[in-house]
Every structure is written in structure tokens, then in C-alpha cells.
Amino acid sequence: MTMSRKNLLLTYSLAVGVRYLFLHSDFQKDIVNRIEIQTPLNSFKRVVEGRYRMSLGIDPYESDSLHVPPLHLTFYTFLIDNFPNYLPYIFMLIDLLTGHCLYTFARRYMLKLYIKQEKNKHTYAEDALSQLLEGRDLYLPPQYALVVFLFNPYTIFNSAAMTTTTVNNLLLSLFFVGIIYDNLVISLAAMTLSTLQSFYPVIMIAPLYLTVYKRKESHLQACLTLFIYALSVIGIIYISGIIYNGYQFLDQTYGFILKVPDQQPNVGVFWYFFMEMFEHFRLLFLFSYQMNVTVLYFLPLTFKFREDPPLLAACFVTLIAIFKSYPSIGDFALSLALLPCWKHLYSCMQQVFISSVTIVITTALAPILWDLWIFWGTANANFFFGATLAFVTAHIFLVTDISFAYTKREYLLKYGNCRQINGKDAKLVLE
């Protein structure tokens, strides 16, 4: 059972209506200039400036304003030159496509979980019925995922500001569709383009590898897929260097992401530490932070979720949003929209209420503290950073809670709800 075409059309129409209202409201200019939404990496104003410099025959990467890779700059230039009056509506359409991709992914994912459950049902404990998927779990999570994405304020503001994060979210959602349908062309293309835009999706090689291996049962085929991915990224960068007469863009794109030279405040944690620390410690913390988002959790999470590549990919998407050098609320919109897909884990989660309330409160509090700091002068950077730190900590709790719930549910399915040791009821005693 899925949403009817009438309900889908109504949902999409309401989503377009909400975005249209924000786009033509007095708040649109304020939304574009909010540091929670716009960053040096996803600002469309910088893309327009780069396109203008390029039209004058000036290298757009000579200045320190443009940080979009050449392939994506070419795409945005095409849109600006051919559809200048329809750009806001194009970003609306991209949002709708992303929502539909998430709906398609969630529907297929829940079906696969249900089929796997019915296949292994004979191995589950007798008193584990409360942990099993029901019929309604096949159609409710996809609907929730669609609604959460399309009507999330993070997504709406991101679309109204026309940030490049809107396009990146579409690419990542296409990657999820590709791995759940075992479509290597879609997953490889989406992952390649997403990596070229923001670098950090390179860690998606783990769920891609696991997906290919589970399908082909061949490590050689999986490694070949990763080789094609690496060859595609290198090839596009090489061609971009030829077209743009050099590789200066590498320092202004991926170098900018890795070296973090701009300390403009955002919803992440990079800016505060690099603003406050002594300069001779910068390289140490720079390596530590970048390893945190790319290397540190890569192997542990890959090993733990090796049987569930989509869940692994969702964890990586959330970790990227949390720890990337220039995050925006648009990065968190995708990870929050994926939460309904783990509805079967909710009964084992312990911190979802606290995390949700913290995210809501800090989202409302951060703009207030920013205004008190910048415009009123009655606060300082510590106030705003405190809100952003609580914001990312809440998302960290969500990731750890999902990981714990996944492990706990596996245990309950195998051993049941029994809490006895040597025939006696077990008790947890603190001494």
C-alpha cells in the first residue's frame, strides 16, 4: 500500500505553495543572508559572481569568493544564462525531486526489511513479536519521510535561499535510491557528482562497496566499482583543469574545505575553535577535525552496519553534516528526513525525545543569540557557539541512539526479552 496519486499531488502542491510564499515574502532577503543557511561553500550569490567574472574573461578562481568546482559552476552558469527568471522555481523542483527520491528509497527499503524479516522469522525468539515489522510499516515510513523533508523548515529555508546544498541533497538522495535498487549507474554518478561538490561524500565508498558485494558476492566486482568511481572523479578533475587552463580551482574548492581559512560562523564547530586557538596549534586540530569526519568512524561503523548499507550511508550523511567544515541547516534536512526509515528501531531508542527537543530549542535560540552578539552587542561568540554546540550534540545523540537501538533490536530478536540470570530476574545495581 502506497500513497495515492491524489495524495502525492496534494503533498507536492502544498510543498510548492509553502516555498512560493516564502520566496515572495518580506523574509526572503533575510533568509538569504542568514549564516545558518548560507556558507562560503553553498552561497549562490558567490556562484553568480563567479559566472560574471568568467563572462569578463577573468579566472573565477583568482579571488577568494568562489568555492564551487568547475563542473558544477558550468551547470549553474547554464541555468543562469538560459533560465534567469525561473531559477527559484528550478530549486523548488529540485526539492520536490529530492523528496520523491527519499519516498522511493524508503518504500523499497521497508519492503526489503519486511522480506528479510519473513525469511528469517523462524530464527527469532518467541517473545520478540513486539520488535517485528507490521503491515503498516511498509507504507507509513515512506510517507513520513516525504512529509518530513518537504515541510521541514530547514529544507524550505534552504530552497528559498537557493543554496547549492539543495543540489547536493538531490545527489545524495539519488545515491540512496541507487544502492537500494542495486543500480550502479545511478549510485556511481550521484556519488561522483556529490564528491566533486563537497568532498566529504567520499566516505560513501563503504556502503557502495557493501551494496555491490551483497549483490555480486564478489570482492573483485566491488573493488572494480570503487576503481570506476575513483577514475571518474580524477577524470573530471583532469578535464576541468584543461578547460579552465590550470588547477588553481583545487585550492579554492577542496583546499578551502580541508584548510578551513574562512572562520565565518555557522551551525558547525570548526569556526569557533579555529578562531580562538593559538595559531601554532592550528595544523594539529585541523588534522584531528578532518580525520574525525572522514577516517575515525569509517571502519567501526562499516563493520557494525555491514548487513545494512542504507543505514550505514544514513549515519555517514549525519556525521558529514555534523563535522564538515562549513555546514548549514540544509545539510541536516536530509538526515532528519531519513529518520522515519528507522521506525522499527524507535522502541529501542532512549534519547530521541531529548535530542528532538534540543534540536528544536537550539534552532530557535541560535538566531536570537546571533542578533544579540552581532547587532545588539549584549552577547559574545560564546553564546552563539553554545547554541550550535548543543545543536550538533543533539544530532550526535541521534546517531549513537540509532546505533545502540540497532544493536539492541538484533539482540532482542535473537534472545528475546528475557531478563533472567540462572533462573532469577536480573537487576541492575549501582555500587
Side-chain angles (χ1 to χ4, degrees):
M1 183 176 180
T2 59
M3 290 181 71
S4 64
R5 291 185 178 180
K6 181 179 179 181
N7 289 337
L8 276 174
L9 182 61
L10 178 61
T11 302
Y12 292 138
S13 300
L14 288 174
V16 170
V18 171
R19 283 159 175 76
Y20 184 86
L21 289 176
F22 272 95
L23 187 65
H24 292 83
S25 70
D26 296 334
F27 299 105
Q28 201 273 338
K29 292 183 179 179
D30 294 329
I31 292 173
V32 170
N33 295 320
R34 294 302 309 184
I35 51 94
E36 300 93 344
I37 302 170
Q38 292 270 20
T39 71
L41 283 180
N42 71 0
S43 174
F44 196 73
K45 292 188 294 184
R46 294 177 180 241
V47 174
V48 173
E49 180 183 343
R51 173 258 175 193
Y52 179 72
R53 290 172 61 88
M54 192 166 55
S55 68
L56 297 177
I58 303 173
D59 186 351
Y61 296 101
E62 282 185 357
S63 66
D64 192 35
S65 61
L66 183 65
H67 309 292
V68 174
L71 180 64
H72 292 266
L73 178 60
T74 303
F75 169 70
Y76 295 127
T77 300
F78 171 78
L79 294 181
I80 295 171
D81 291 341
N82 294 277
F83 310 100
N85 299 322
Y86 299 98
L87 285 175
Y89 307 104
I90 292 175
F91 278 85
M92 287 186 192
L93 177 62
I94 292 174
D95 251 7
L96 296 186
L97 290 175
T98 305
H100 190 72
C101 287
L102 292 175
Y103 173 74
T104 304
F105 160 76
R107 187 173 58 183
R108 179 75 171 184
Y109 178 68
M110 299 310 298
L111 178 61
K112 281 194 170 185
L113 285 181
Y114 189 79
I115 293 174
K116 180 181 178 181
Q117 171 186 289
E118 295 302 305
K119 181 180 179 180
N120 300 326
K121 201 170 184 179
H122 66 281
T123 64
Y124 296 155
E126 295 181 359
D127 59 345
L129 295 178
S130 61
Q131 301 297 325
L132 299 182
L133 293 171
E134 300 176 356
R136 62 179 183 175
D137 292 324
L138 294 179
Y139 62 89
L140 285 181
Q143 295 178 23
Y144 292 158
L146 177 64
V147 171
V148 168
F149 181 81
L150 291 181
F151 297 99
N152 189 334
Y154 297 170
T155 313
I156 296 171
F157 293 158
N158 194 52
S159 176
M162 296 193 302
T163 67
T164 60
T165 304
T166 306
V167 177
N168 194 51
N169 283 343
L170 173 61
L171 294 174
L172 288 175
S173 65
L174 284 171
F175 174 77
F176 277 95
V177 172
I179 62 174
I180 201 63
Y181 279 91
D182 297 324
N183 191 316
L184 292 182
V185 175
I186 293 178
S187 54
L188 269 174
M191 183 176 166
T192 299
L193 295 174
S194 182
T195 303
L196 287 169
Q197 177 170 333
S198 58
F199 175 75
Y200 292 117
V202 67
I203 64 176
M204 292 295 182
I205 58 174
L208 179 63
Y209 180 93
L210 292 173
T211 300
V212 177
Y213 176 73
K214 286 171 68 69
R215 178 188 175 188
K216 302 288 187 179
E217 295 185 354
S218 169
H219 287 291
L220 180 60
Q221 290 281 350
C223 290
L224 181 60
T225 303
L226 297 189
F227 176 75
I228 295 173
Y229 158 72
L231 194 63
S232 301
V233 172
I234 295 172
I236 293 175
I237 291 176
Y238 176 73
I239 295 173
S240 299
I242 295 176
I243 295 175
Y244 283 81
N245 300 317
Y247 295 92
Q248 184 177 348
F249 69 89
L250 290 175
D251 186 59
Q252 290 297 329
T253 53
Y254 312 120
F256 184 83
I257 293 172
L258 294 175
K259 293 188 292 186
V260 200
D262 192 329
Q263 271 77 60
Q264 174 183 308
N266 50 56
V267 295
V269 293
F270 266 76
W271 66 272
Y272 183 82
F273 284 97
F274 290 108
M275 181 187 294
E276 297 291 335
M277 76 167 61
F278 294 109
E279 187 63 26
H280 55 275
F281 288 126
R282 177 180 175 83
L283 190 60
L284 170 64
F285 280 91
L286 191 61
F287 272 96
S288 300
Y289 273 60
Q290 298 294 5
M291 288 178 62
N292 196 50
V293 66
T294 54
V295 179
L296 191 60
Y297 309 107
F298 182 79
L299 289 179
L301 289 178
T302 300
F303 178 79
K304 181 58 190 175
F305 298 128
R306 60 189 182 278
E307 298 297 330
D308 199 337
L311 179 55
L312 174 63
C315 289
F316 282 160
V317 165
T318 307
L319 290 174
I320 290 172
I322 292 170
F323 294 116
K324 68 186 295 187
S325 51
Y326 297 100
S328 70
I329 58 174
D331 296 300
F332 293 93
L334 185 64
S335 62
L336 291 176
L338 289 169
L339 285 178
C341 297
W342 329 127
K343 183 176 177 293
H344 56 290
L345 302 177
Y346 286 178
S347 61
C348 298
M349 296 176 68
Q350 298 179 346
Q351 302 169 354
V352 63
F353 176 75
I354 296 175
S355 301
S356 302
V357 171
T358 303
I359 290 173
V360 172
I361 292 175
T362 52
T363 299
L365 193 60
I368 298 174
L369 296 176
W370 171 260
D371 286 353
L372 290 176
W373 172 26
I374 299 299
F375 299 106
W376 295 94
T378 55
N380 55 42
N382 296 323
F383 287 72
F384 182 73
F385 175 68
T388 60
L389 181 61
F391 179 78
V392 299
T393 301
H395 283 87
I396 292 172
F397 281 164
L398 278 179
V399 175
T400 55
D401 208 12
I402 290 174
S403 302
F404 171 79
Y406 178 85
T407 304
K408 183 177 180 181
R409 183 174 181 269
E410 281 188 327
Y411 176 87
L412 293 177
L413 289 175
K414 186 174 182 179
Y415 299 104
N417 294 307
C418 181
R419 297 290 187 275
Q420 290 186 340
I421 299 177
N422 297 327
K424 298 181 180 180
D425 291 336
K427 294 182 180 180
L428 180 63
V429 180
L430 297 179
E431 297 182 353

